[in-house]
Structures are given as C-alpha cells and as structure tokens.
Amino acid sequence: MKPKIWLSSPHMSGAEQTYIKEAFDTNWVAPLGPNVTGFEKDLESYLKEGRHVAALASGTSALHLSLILLGVTTGDEVICQSKTFSASANPIVYQGATPVFVDSETDTWNICPIQLEIAIKDRISKGKKPKAIIAVHLYGMPYKVDEIHSIANKYKIPVVEDSAESLGSHFKGQNCGTFGDLSILSFNGNKIITTSGGGALVTRTESQKKKAVFLATQARDNAPHYQHTHIGYNYRMSNIVAGIGRGQMTILDSHVEKRRSNHDIYYNTFKDNNKITFLLEPEGHFSNRWLSCIQLDSYETREGLRLALEKENIESRPLWKPMHLQPIFKDAPSYLNGVSEELFNRGLCLPSGSNLSKEELDRVISAIKTYFAVC
Ligand SMILES: *Cc1c(COP(=O)(O)O)cnc(C)c1O
C-alpha cells in the first residue's frame, strides 16, 4: 500500500518547540502566560484594523462566546449559513436559540445575499427579528462582504464572522477575521495554522475582549475568595498551546502561498477537463485556498473519483453537507435555493496541505487523470 496522502495535515515550522520549552523552563504551564499574550499580539498585528484578540480553547468556544456577548438567549433566532461545518451552528443551540439556515450563492459558495434578505424579512414578519447572522468564509473564500454587511446594517443585525477556515484570506485588501461585529478563528489540527486545538475571538473593542476573557476563565469576580455573578466557562487557551501558535505565525504567509500554489497546479492541470469546474476568485476576493475544491459534472462522477482516490490511499472529501440536510437540524427554518445541496452532491475537496510534496501532488494528479481516462 502506498503511503497515505491526507487532505490537510499539521505542518510545523520548527520554531514551536522553542516557545514550548520556554513555557516549561519558566513553569508557565497554565491557561495564561507570556505565550498566550504573545500569540494574541502576533494575531493582532497580522489582522490589523485595530482589532483585539482573545486566545481560546477552540473556534467553537469563540463562536459560543460571540453569541453570549451579543446577548443571544433562549427563544432567540440566529441566522446561519447552511453550507458550513456543524460547529458554526451548534453554539446557537447551546444558548437555547433556534438556528435559521440560509443557502449559498454560486460565486463564493457562501451565504446568499438574496436568500439572506428574504429570510430576515420573513422572520421579522413572523414576529421575530434575528439576533445575529453567522457568515462563513468557506474553504478560505471570502463571502460577499459588501452585500452581506450592507444587508446586516440595513436591518441592524450584528454579524458573527466565522473565519475559522480563512486566516490569511482578504477582501479588497482587508483581512478576513476583521469584518464581523465579532469574528472567530480556529487553530484545529486541520486548519491553515494549528495549535493542535485552539481558537480565538476577534473583537472591535478592548472591553469586549475583557468580557470574553472573563467569561472564558470561569467568570471570577474581583474578590479574594471565589465569587461569581455570571455563569463562567473554561474556554481559555493554555500557554503551552499558545507556544505552538507563536511558532505557527512565523510561517502563516508561506502556508497560504503553498496552498494557493496547490490550487493553481490542480487548476492548470484540469481546467480543460469538461467534467471538472473550479471556484475562481471574484474581483476583490483573495482566498487562502485552505482546501482546493472542485465540482464534478454529477454525483456519480464525484463518488467515482472519491473512491478511485481512496483506492490509491489518497484522502478526499465531499464538500460540507449543508446544515438544513443534517438530521439534527431537519426541523430548523431554512431559506433555500438548491445551491448548497448541489455543491454537496457534486463537490470534492482534494489534498491541500501546505506540506504536500511534489511527489504527493503528482500522485494525486495522476490518480485523477487515470480515473478520467477510464470513466
Ligand atoms: C473548524 C471550524 C470551526 C470550529 O473550530 P474548532 O477550533 O474546531 O472548534 C467552526 N467553523 C468552521 C467553518 C470550521 O471550519
């Protein structure tokens, strides 16, 4: 059996262990310390726009705290892009609120401005104005920032920007992770940089960050004993994990470059194959190409290709299954145009890691060519 080629695997810079060793040497083995502060500073200087960053245990915990900061509570409704990972939507339910799913458009595969406005108007007419909108830059491709935010502003609904997959992407020169009223990042093992597990909340004010850190560290009031006036969470990032993050920040831009180059190689090799289509960057959109994704001409071609790659020990995966099709969310209100379902049926993510070697890419490409030569 040939060695496994992964979709997206951790890729260390070598600098991580220096920061981790420092944490051990100084006994900062806790969910606070110089690496946590340093990693937050690194992210703040990378993102720019004067944003504040709170390093947390995961992207999911960052989403949960976003909703808490926005006052989402039992009985509320929150709009969420349907085509995404379940972690975008689950925190809505943690808060006892109801997710309202909105379908995608074809230019970026992200939340559709037309369906979004239909959804907002319809929810308002039913007596409930949505409390927040969760928009996602899927696979690193920025959503239609101007359109989505202008609709959100028109109805005065805050946007939680799920930038878990899009660190290093930008729209009209401004970094993803800075567009939301609140934004979140993820450093899970498969993301563009990883801390093994981790995430961050990006805020516009220092006081929002303070509040998030307060809630993330068990909401301890200022007293010599343990006293609580709020329900707290254990969501802070550890100083060891943040050390990995500091090492990873040194190679973020080169990871983006390599992932973009993977995508270009697939594109240049297969652009004339009439059974394969690619997602191109619309004007102003710069994708980190976290995952290289293609659409096939049918479900059958997609499944055939996926299985052919699997036989070669190459990992690939269908595009995210939309939330409105997930058993757990089948009863949630949804505003649909068929786009995300079609993408789910015909789309495939190809191996995309920044650590893919030329030999590995060649193996993937030759497996795809062989498949199309016989099918
Ligand atoms: C990975 C991911 C998350 C969750 O981040 P974790 O750090 O794994 O909790 C949320 N949203 C999207 C779109 C993701 O891809």
Side-chain angles (χ1 to χ4, degrees):
M1 186 69 124
K2 290 177 195 153
K4 177 97 175 179
I5 298 179
W6 299 98
L7 200 64
S8 178
S9 70
H11 184 191
M12 295 298 114
S13 71
E16 291 82 6
Q17 296 202 7
T18 314
Y19 292 107
I20 295 170
K21 182 167 185 309
E22 203 172 283
F24 273 79
D25 290 348
T26 53
N27 205 28
W28 276 109
V29 184
L32 79 168
N35 282 337
V36 175
T37 316
F39 185 38
E40 290 176 342
K41 288 262 165 326
D42 291 347
L43 286 163
E44 286 166 0
S45 356
Y46 186 89
L47 291 172
K48 306 193 182 74
E49 314 299 330
R51 294 296 180 270
H52 304 269
V53 172
L56 299 171
S58 62
T60 310
S61 55
L63 280 158
H64 189 195
L65 289 181
S66 303
L67 299 181
I68 294 170
L69 291 179
L70 293 175
V72 172
T73 185
T74 312
D76 285 340
E77 291 188 350
V78 174
I79 287 182
C80 183
Q81 181 167 320
S82 184
K83 192 164 190 64
T84 185
F85 178 43
S86 64
S88 304
N90 286 338
I92 302 170
V93 181
Y94 302 167
Q95 282 308 97
T98 303
V100 173
F101 294 114
V102 171
D103 217 322
S104 290
E105 40 79 15
T106 53
D107 298 339
T108 70
W109 298 354
N110 293 313
I111 191 165
C112 171
I114 297 166
Q115 291 300 322
L116 173 62
E117 188 156 18
I118 292 172
I120 294 171
K121 282 184 173 159
D122 191 50
R123 298 327 288 173
I124 292 174
S125 81
K126 289 186 162 70
K128 213 166 245 178
K129 182 171 148 181
K131 215 47 187 291
I133 297 164
I134 301 174
V136 190
H137 309 292
L138 221 53
Y139 306 114
M141 182 65 78
Y143 58 73
K144 292 191 165 171
V145 172
D146 289 341
E147 284 93 331
I148 298 306
H149 287 265
S150 97
I151 293 166
N153 290 340
K154 178 169 162 193
Y155 294 93
K156 299 198 165 42
I157 304 173
V159 175
V160 174
E161 178 195 11
D162 181 341
S163 201
E165 303 178 1
S166 61
L167 183 58
S169 299
H170 46 84
F171 174 74
K172 292 186 178 170
Q174 183 177 335
N175 284 306
C176 290
T178 65
F179 290 107
D181 291 273
L182 293 164
S183 306
I184 73 100
L185 304 170
S186 167
F187 315 111
N188 200 15
N190 58 349
K191 299 290 155 71
I192 191 142
I193 61 164
T194 181
T195 58
S196 68
L201 177 67
V202 185
T203 69
R204 286 174 179 256
T205 68
E206 181 68 31
S207 78
Q208 286 173 314
K209 172 182 168 171
K210 277 207 173 118
K211 178 115 192 259
V213 170
F214 168 76
L215 294 172
T217 50
Q218 306 288 20
R220 285 156 58 175
D221 293 344
N222 196 4
H225 51 274
Y226 277 24
Q227 176 166 301
H228 306 278
T229 49
H230 288 80
I231 291 294
Y233 302 86
N234 187 1
Y235 279 175
R236 195 67 163 133
M237 179 178 278
S238 104
N239 195 54
I240 304 295
V241 155
I244 309 178
R246 291 183 84 181
Q248 289 274 283
M249 284 307 284
T250 63
I251 38 71
L252 170 55
D253 282 333
S254 71
H255 281 197
V256 172
E257 231 172 89
K258 178 62 166 71
R259 290 201 186 235
R260 285 178 62 84
S261 135
N262 291 338
H263 182 272
D264 286 352
I265 290 169
Y266 288 130
Y267 177 75
N268 288 324
T269 312
F270 296 111
K271 63 179 188 300
D272 296 328
N273 183 320
N274 60 14
K275 292 185 173 172
I276 303 181
T277 48
F278 288 83
L279 180 65
L280 302 179
E281 287 168 320
E283 181 83 33
H285 294 242
F286 178 97
S287 170
N288 66 11
R289 296 293 188 189
W290 171 56
L291 296 184
S292 290
C293 304
I294 54 174
Q295 250 193 111
L296 288 310
D297 64 328
S298 69
Y299 170 79
E300 289 69 27
T301 310
R302 198 286 305 280
E303 265 312 271
L305 177 58
R306 190 182 68 77
L307 294 170
L309 291 170
E310 191 172 272
K311 255 176 63 192
E312 293 295 316
N313 211 17
I314 296 168
E315 186 184 27
S316 69
R317 190 171 300 138
L319 301 187
W320 296 121
K321 179 170 183 171
M323 291 305 111
H324 71 270
L325 296 176
Q326 297 288 354
I328 188 69
F329 291 128
K330 65 179 191 322
D331 297 328
S334 303
Y335 295 82
L336 306 175
N337 56 17
V339 170
S340 65
E341 183 164 0
E342 193 62 23
L343 285 167
F344 171 59
N345 287 334
R346 297 197 281 117
L348 194 67
C349 305
L350 299 174
S352 308
S354 47
N355 50 2
L356 277 184
S357 67
K358 174 158 192 320
E359 292 66 39
E360 287 173 318
L361 263 178
D362 286 347
R363 247 180 76 197
V364 178
I365 285 168
S366 97
I368 299 174
K369 282 185 174 162
T370 307
Y371 172 69
F372 281 105
V374 297
C375 90

